[in-house]
Amino acid sequence: MNIAYANCLQGLLQGLKSSVEQMEKSKVYTQKGLLEKIKLCLSKKPLPTPTDRKKFDHDFAISTSFHGIHNIVRNRSKIHRVIWLVVVLGSVSLVVWQIYSRFVNYFTWPTTTSIDVQYVENIEFPAVTFCNLNRFQADAVAKFGAIFFLWNIVSRVLHLQAISANSTGFTEAIEFLASHQNFSITDFIKKNGFYLSNSTLLGCEFFGKPCGPKDFAHVFTEYGNCFTFNHGENIQTKKQVSVSGRGLDLLFNVKQEEFTDDPALGFDDAGIIFVIHSPKKVPQFDGLGLSSPVGMHTRVAIRQVKTVHQEHPWGECNPHKKLQNFSTYSSSGCLKECKALHIKKHCGCLPFLLPGNGVECDLQKSYNCVSPILDQIEVKGICTMGTYNSSCPVPCEETEYPATLSYSTFPSQRALKYFSKKLNQSQDYIRENLVNIEINYSDLNYKITQQQKAVSVSELLADVGGQLGLFCGASMITIIEIIEYIFTYFYWICILFLLKIPEMTQEAPQVPDHLENTDSMGEC
């Protein structure tokens, strides 16, 4: 039984061995057949002889449009050949150096700036946002003295002023935060901040037509309640002017006795602060606000300047950068969104001065979470502006309104009596509360400052082609001739390599069966 089982097993092993050998032989035959077909195909196109290759080189040298090559070949004098060889090599060296310098210059992304003045019959009037330098009603502050400190905490999202534990009102503010956790500073400022009505806006005229508080939109800034004329979202108030020297004329009553602020925090002026900006942008007062004191007539002559920046790498703008809460991209709007995103991620709420959808941060979170996060944003440089790689690159196009201000005493002695009688107030009250602001275009034109590419792709190609033509008399056709010449030689080398390649697969020398059996018996 054991002998029969061993014979059966040996027969199975021999059958398996023979099948494996057949598979390997068939694979070798397939590969060998493919190589034979390739060799057969290449053998039909024999390699050129050395004489043919020499003739091919000579024909190329005398027929190419690359200047100077045929002079090296045709001249019988060795001296002339050497001279022409030096000339050709020198020209090629110069053209390589020139082309290299042109490419190096192109990849430094150079730009030029052009300034163009466009004269028009009608020009869009900008948006103007006005705020009272005295932000809060005196009666509300008398009952709630901690409002100055609390408002500084809330407005830190716009300006990173330090919140010192030793500052005035700190203890009172902490006690208030502990006892009034549901206090809404938004409602408080709206109700007890500066307001715009017929008693605070005594006169409003735009291009000879009357206007009023209804033509202004309420906005929150670091100055509390502010009001924007010609707001971008209010289509009905969008204004255009057609005559220079006429525009917006306003008369404010700041009501110093009714509104007040804390001199210890630097708010010791009386008057109106305003900023002129594009109707599509949010107002930004940081370093850009213009002040008009009481008892003065402020005349503002503005110009419109449009600036166009190139996209990266020529410039620093990113045309694909979009904002979620603003229709038009601006660096200030982007910075607000960046802060809002970071604060919402860490604090789970949004300060009401920042854009976005979310739960409004209460005063406790504003002090305990928002303020430290703002310090972290500043220290780590999380929200940055300016360069292409920053969080908020410069806009590709922006409109600014440079202004020239002049002042005169308002009102005059005769006008003082008129306003005193009209408003039923004393002359001292008129001097201490009235502000007259007049905003006009100096000229009906706008200036376009445009950043442009100093070298375009077409100019680079033209420059390279000029250098090739100047030094070598070469053109695109010449380049194609050289490529064809190199390709032909490469083709011949490939044929030579394939014909001379040894057999990739050769059958291994078979071991005689009796030797194989001897080895197997030895192993046993």
Side-chain angles (χ1 to χ4, degrees):
M1 187 71 180
N2 292 334
I3 296 173
Y5 177 76
N7 292 333
C8 181
L9 182 61
Q10 185 177 5
L12 289 174
L13 290 175
Q14 289 180 353
L16 180 62
K17 181 179 178 182
S18 61
S19 62
V20 170
E21 290 178 352
Q22 288 178 0
M23 289 176 62
E24 290 180 352
K25 288 180 180 180
S26 63
K27 186 177 179 180
V28 170
Y29 290 153
T30 302
Q31 294 178 351
K32 186 176 180 181
L34 180 61
L35 289 175
E36 290 295 336
K37 289 180 180 179
I38 294 175
K39 288 183 178 181
L40 180 63
C41 180
L42 293 177
S43 62
K44 295 179 180 179
K45 301 176 181 179
L47 284 171
T49 62
T51 304
D52 294 335
R53 290 198 297 270
K54 187 176 180 180
K55 184 178 183 300
F56 175 76
D57 295 337
H58 183 270
D59 292 341
F60 172 78
I62 63 174
S63 63
T64 181
S65 56
F66 195 97
H67 290 189
I69 299 294
H70 62 280
N71 291 321
I72 300 175
V73 176
R74 287 181 174 178
N75 275 308
R76 297 182 178 180
S77 173
K78 292 185 178 180
I79 297 177
H80 287 177
R81 286 186 177 183
V82 171
I83 292 174
W84 275 109
L85 180 62
V86 172
V87 170
V88 170
L89 293 178
S91 298
V92 170
S93 301
L94 285 173
V95 78
V96 169
W97 171 63
Q98 288 290 334
I99 292 175
Y100 171 77
S101 63
R102 295 304 185 272
F103 273 97
V104 168
N105 177 62
Y106 177 79
F107 286 108
T108 59
W109 317 114
T111 59
T112 59
T113 302
S114 64
I115 298 177
D116 188 21
V117 179
Q118 297 286 339
Y119 290 89
V120 293
E121 295 181 357
N122 295 283
I123 190 168
E124 186 183 70
F125 198 79
V128 189
T129 301
F130 301 91
C131 310
N132 193 340
L133 286 172
N134 293 314
R135 300 174 290 178
F136 310 108
Q137 295 185 28
D139 294 340
V141 171
K143 299 177 184 177
F144 182 31
I147 182 62
F148 300 116
F149 186 83
L150 295 178
W151 181 252
N152 277 0
I153 294 175
V154 173
S155 61
R156 282 204 74 203
V157 297
L158 300 179
H159 301 289
L160 296 176
Q161 69 267 22
I163 302 297
S164 173
N166 299 323
S167 61
T168 305
F170 177 79
T171 304
E172 185 180 355
I174 295 300
E175 293 175 356
F176 182 86
L177 290 174
S179 58
H180 297 78
Q181 295 184 2
N182 296 325
F183 177 78
S184 175
I185 197 168
T186 309
D187 297 336
F188 180 88
I189 298 300
K190 262 191 175 180
K191 183 179 179 181
N192 300 289
F194 179 69
Y195 58 86
L196 203 63
S197 65
N198 292 330
S199 62
T200 54
L201 183 62
L202 303 179
C204 179
E205 188 178 283
F206 179 75
F207 201 55
K209 296 181 180 181
C211 52
K214 65 180 183 301
D215 296 309
F216 291 77
H218 174 270
V219 292
F220 275 119
T221 71
E222 57 267 41
Y223 289 94
N225 290 336
C226 297
F227 301 89
T228 302
F229 178 81
N230 199 26
H231 194 266
E233 296 179 358
N234 191 349
I235 301 176
Q236 294 179 353
T237 62
K238 253 191 165 179
K239 306 294 183 181
Q240 286 192 342
V241 293
S242 58
V243 178
S244 60
R246 298 185 65 182
L248 182 64
D249 192 357
L250 303 171
L251 181 61
F252 288 100
N253 182 0
V254 298
K255 294 188 175 183
Q256 286 198 63
E257 294 181 358
E258 182 179 344
F259 296 94
T260 186
D261 220 306
D262 190 358
L265 299 176
F267 293 90
D268 48 11
D269 298 334
I272 295 291
I273 186 169
F274 60 98
V275 62
I276 303 170
H277 56 95
S278 170
K280 300 177 182 178
K281 291 177 61 177
V282 294
Q284 184 182 1
F285 279 91
D286 187 18
L288 302 176
L290 306 174
S291 297
S292 180
V294 295
M296 289 288 178
H297 184 177
T298 304
R299 292 179 174 85
V300 185
I302 61 174
R303 295 176 293 109
Q304 187 180 103
V305 176
K306 293 183 178 180
T307 305
V308 179
H309 301 281
Q310 278 291 331
E311 62 184 272
H312 188 77
W314 287 269
E316 298 298 339
C317 93
N318 183 358
H320 306 294
K321 187 78 172 179
K322 304 295 180 184
L323 301 181
Q324 296 180 357
N325 301 284
F326 302 99
S327 58
T328 304
Y329 176 83
S330 64
S331 297
S332 57
C334 174
L335 187 62
K336 289 181 179 180
E337 284 197 354
C338 180
K339 290 180 180 179
L341 183 65
H342 200 69
I343 291 173
K344 186 177 181 180
K345 178 181 178 181
H346 290 83
C347 301
C349 62
L350 276 175
F352 78 94
L353 287 174
L354 294 182
N357 297 322
V359 180
E360 181 182 329
C361 297
D362 56 26
L363 292 175
Q364 286 282 2
K365 280 194 174 182
S366 296
Y367 180 74
N368 296 324
C369 182
V370 175
S371 187
I373 289 299
L374 288 171
D375 292 330
Q376 186 182 32
I377 291 174
E378 180 69 14
V379 171
K380 294 185 177 180
I382 296 173
C383 298
T384 55
M385 293 193 303
T387 62
Y388 176 82
N389 294 325
S390 62
S391 306
C392 300
V394 297
C396 293
E397 184 175 343
E398 58 183 340
T399 303
E400 298 177 343
Y401 299 88
T404 303
L405 278 68
S406 59
Y407 299 93
S408 61
T409 301
F410 176 84
S412 64
Q413 288 293 334
R414 189 176 183 87
L416 184 62
K417 298 177 182 179
Y418 168 78
F419 281 109
S420 178
K421 183 178 180 181
K422 180 180 179 180
L423 301 176
N424 195 21
Q425 297 288 349
S426 66
Q427 293 186 7
D428 290 338
Y429 179 90
I430 300 300
R431 289 285 191 196
E432 293 174 358
N433 290 279
L434 264 60
V435 178
N436 192 195
I437 301 175
E438 186 179 350
I439 303 175
N440 306 310
Y441 269 107
S442 58
D443 291 300
L444 288 182
N445 60 57
Y446 61 91
K447 183 187 294 184
I448 300 178
T449 304
Q450 189 168 8
Q451 190 181 30
Q452 298 175 332
K453 299 176 184 178
V455 182
S456 63
V457 176
S458 59
E459 290 173 338
L460 175 65
L461 293 176
D463 201 356
V464 170
Q467 298 299 326
L468 285 170
L470 175 64
F471 290 101
C472 301
S475 64
M476 182 58 68
I477 295 177
T478 308
I479 302 299
I480 295 174
E481 290 175 355
I482 296 174
I483 293 174
E484 182 188 19
Y485 175 79
I486 296 173
F487 179 78
T488 303
Y489 260 94
F490 179 76
Y491 174 71
W492 289 342
I493 292 173
C494 289
I495 292 176
L496 180 64
F497 178 76
L498 289 173
L499 290 178
K500 296 297 182 181
I501 191 170
E503 292 290 336
M504 297 183 64
T505 56
Q506 294 181 353
E507 292 188 25
Q510 296 184 357
V511 182
D513 292 338
H514 66 277
L515 292 179
E516 186 174 338
N517 295 332
T518 304
D519 293 340
S520 60
M521 290 177 63
E523 289 178 0
C524 293

